[in-house]
Structure formats: structure tokens, C-alpha cells
């Protein structure tokens, strides 16, 4: 059944969102979400709160996270859904992936200082609800708040993307490892927002092939960061690679996100939705 208001991708203060897990659950429920997942970057610290808030509202829940992976010189995001949050390998894997963020943030601040923007490490940290998870988004909020840029998109464009003063090359998790952590805990690995990567067609083909070979099972087709044309394109990739399809807003904040929780088109009717394969993991 593809007509289900599932939102299986969003962020709380436990990573780079601005709402608590409880406030997100309320907002998702108000917006008509029937099946929800909180997918904080490299973190599962909000999972118990999210699951119990969903339960109190009578909304179905799948455990979730969004793992940062390095592939072919780019960062790729792999969403994990429906895994056991107590699985030791998953917990250790995520801890390792989070590990380099502090030093990376200090290097980012050093790069920004060279173009006259001082105190950004401390500034960004003030916006981080979880000091273990300082991200580019927190730097972006600091630079908007201090008047350097008018919005976070401008900060990314001018300062935080490849080749810009605050960008630092970083080695994230390996694709195979991330898929295995998710699968070891009984979950399903999903390629997040595939249209957002700067891959050549060959690199993209390699990503999908390797993802599938390592046990990855799904791709986000309908997401807040895809246009209608991109959803059509990746529905085609799901068919070509025999992958199930996921749907998620990637909501971060009422002030920054253009797609609200649950406010998404339906999945194309011929694709297998991830929730059909994860029935036994739904809480
Ligand atoms: P990080 O994991 O620290 O590299 O931060 C990545 C996060 O930055 C993503 O999950 C998005 O929330 C945010 N982000 C990336 N690119 C942009 C952009 N162009 N505009 C706004 N936010 C972005
Ligand atoms: Mn984010
Ligand atoms: Mn992402
Ligand atoms: Mn995300």
C-alpha cells in the first residue's frame, strides 16, 4: 500500500535539527504522518524519546539514523531504518563516525578565521544541542545570526562547500561498513536524497551497484530535497536496481526547511515501499 503518509527522514536537536524529538513527533502527527522515523546524523541518542512520543500519539514508528559515508571522494548519506538501537556494532560504528567531528569543526573555524570570521567554533557549538555532533549546519546558523549571510543556503554556497574557506575534507564511514551496521541490527539501508550528490553518471552507477552488492535495499525516491523530475528519475533507478523506495521530508527546522513533515507526494504505485519490507520492525 503506497498511499501511506510515511515520513522516514528528519532531524532533531540531537543532530542538526532545531526541534526536540517530542516536538517533531507532535508536528508530524499534526501534519497527518502515520509512520514516522527520526534519522539524526550519525546518532541514535534521540531514538527512545522519539519512539515513546510517537507511541503516546498513536503514530507508528521505525528506528532511524542517517550515516555519513565517504564514497568516490564525495560524502554520501545512508539512512538506516528499523534496526535494533541496542545493537553493539551499530552503536560503536556511529560513535566512530561521530568521532572526528570536533577536530573537523576546529579546522573549519581556522579556515573561516583566515577570511576574517573569528570565534566560529565557539559560536557554532552554542547552536549544537549535542556537543558530540557539531555540524556544518551549526556553523551556518552562527553565520546567519551574526549577520555574515542572510540565510543558511548562502552560508553553504559562500563558505561551507568544497573549495570554500570553511570546508574541510573529511573521512566518514565506509559504505560497506555502514550497510553492515544497519543490517546487523535487522534494519534496512537506504540511499538518502540521491539527486544531491555531485557524481558523474559512472560514479552514480558505481554507488548504486556497490550499495546493492553490500546488501543495501532501498533508495529515497520522494524526499524534500528532490524535485518532481528527480523523483521520476530515481524511481527509474529503483526499478533498474531492484530497490525498494523510501519517502522522507529531511525536515530540520520550521525556519529553514521548505518541506514540512509529511508534506510530500506519494510514492509511485509500482514501487515497493520500505515499510512493506519492514512490517516486523514497526513499533
Ligand atoms: P555535516 O554533516 O556537518 O557535513 O553537515 C551536513 C548538513 O548540512 C546536511 O545534513 C544539511 O543539513 C546541511 N546542508 C548541506 N548542504 C546544505 C545547503 N546547501 N544548504 C543548507 N544546508 C545544507
Ligand atoms: Mn542535516
Ligand atoms: Mn542528508
Ligand atoms: Mn537528513
Amino acid at each position: 500500500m503506497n498511499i501511506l503518509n510515511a515520513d522516514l527522514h528528519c532531524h532533531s536537536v540531537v543532530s542538526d535539527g532545531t526541534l526536540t524529538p517530542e516536538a517533531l513527533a507532535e508536528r508530524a502527527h499534526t501534519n497527518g504522518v502515520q509512520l514516522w522515523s527520526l534519522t539524526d546524523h550519525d546518532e541514535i541518542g534521540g531514538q527512545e524519546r522519539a519512539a515513546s512520543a510517537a507511541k503516546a500519539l498513536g503514530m507508528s514508528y521505525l528506528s532511524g539514523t542517517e550515516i555519513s559515508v565517504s564514497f568516490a571522494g564525495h560524502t554520501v548519506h545512508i539512512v538506516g531504518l528499523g534496526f535494533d538501537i541496542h545493537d553493539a556494532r551499530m552503536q560503536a560504528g556511529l560513535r566512530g563516525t561521530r568521532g572526528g567531528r570536533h577536530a573537523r569543526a576546529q579546522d573549519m573555524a581556522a579556515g573561516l578565521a583566515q577570511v576574517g570570521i573569528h570565534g566560529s567554533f565557539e559560536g557554532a557549538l552554542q547552536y549544537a544541542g549535542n556537543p558530540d555532533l557539531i555540524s556544518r549546519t551549526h556553523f551556518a546558523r552562527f553565520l546567519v545570526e551574526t549577520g555574515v549571510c542572510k540565510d543558511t543556503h548562502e552560508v553553504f554556497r559562500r563558505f561551507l562547500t568544497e573549495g570554500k574557506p570553511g570546508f574541510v575534507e573529511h573521512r566518514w564511514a565506509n559504505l560497506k561498513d555502514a550497510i553492515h551496521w544497519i543490517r546487523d541490527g535487522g534494519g534496512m539501508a537506504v540511499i538518502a536524497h540521491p539527486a544531491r550528490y555531485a557524481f558523474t553518471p559512472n560514479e552514480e552507477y558505481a554507488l548504486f551497484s556497490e550499495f546493492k552488492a553490500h546488501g543495501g535495499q532501498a533508495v529515497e525516491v520522494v524526499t524534500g530535497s528532490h524535485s518532481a523530475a528527480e523523483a521520476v528519475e530515481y524511481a527509474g533507478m529503483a526499478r533498474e536496481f531492484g530497490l525498494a523506495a523510501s519517502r522522507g521530508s529531511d525536515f530540520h527546522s520550521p525556519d529553514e526547511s521548505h518541506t514540512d513533515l509529511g508534506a510530500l507526494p506519494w510514492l509511485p504505485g509500482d514501487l515497493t515501499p520500505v515499510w512493506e519490507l519492514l512490517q516486523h520492525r514497526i513499533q
Side-chain angles (χ1 to χ4, degrees), residues 37-38 47 61-65 80-85 281 283:
S37 182
L38 170 65
Q47 291 302 306
Y61 189 77
L62 278 169
S63 63
T65 187
L81 295 172
F83 53 87
D84 172 10
I85 62 167
R281 310 293 307 180
Q283 304 174 46

Side-chain angles (χ1 to χ4, degrees), residues 9 11 39 41 66 77 193 250 252:
H9 188 152
H11 300 273
T39 56
H41 296 285
E66 181 177 17
H77 286 169
H193 44 63
D250 206 358
H252 283 70

Side-chain angles (χ1 to χ4, degrees), residues 212-230:
K212 175 104 181 166
H214 293 311
Q217 290 172 281
V219 56
E220 278 182 354
V221 171
V222 171
T223 113
S225 44
H226 280 180
S227 66
E230 287 166 342

Side-chain angles (χ1 to χ4, degrees), residues 122-175:
E122 295 74 16
L125 201 54
Q126 280 189 3
Y127 288 90
N130 173 0
D132 283 351
L133 211 115
I134 181 162
S135 92
R136 285 187 290 163
T137 313
H138 302 117
F139 280 83
R141 292 191 183 128
F142 172 70
L143 266 64
V144 170
E145 211 52 44
T146 50
V148 177
C149 293
K150 69 174 189 331
D151 60 31
T152 54
H153 293 286
E154 184 188 340
V155 184
F156 275 88
R157 197 178 69 248
R158 287 178 51 197
F159 296 105
L160 299 181
T161 42
E162 252 178 274
K164 301 298 160 67
F167 184 80
V168 171
E169 284 289 340
H170 191 74
R171 189 62 183 257
W172 300 106
N174 167 287
L175 178 66

Side-chain angles (χ1 to χ4, degrees), residues 35-56:
L35 173 64
W36 177 54
S37 182
L38 170 65
T39 56
D40 279 311
H41 296 285
D42 310 322
E43 250 295 7
I44 52 175
Q47 291 302 306
E48 279 169 346
R49 288 170 63 186
S52 54
K55 190 173 181 185

Side-chain angles (χ1 to χ4, degrees), residues 42 67-76 93-104 107 167-177 181:
D42 310 322
I67 306 178
S68 311
V69 161
S70 294
F71 183 85
H74 295 277
T75 300
V76 168
L94 293 181
R95 205 178 305 121
T97 308
R98 284 194 298 275
R101 279 187 179 268
H102 202 266
R104 171 194 185 231
D107 293 346
F167 184 80
V168 171
E169 284 289 340
H170 191 74
R171 189 62 183 257
W172 300 106
N174 167 287
L175 178 66
K176 178 181 174 193
D177 292 344
W181 301 333

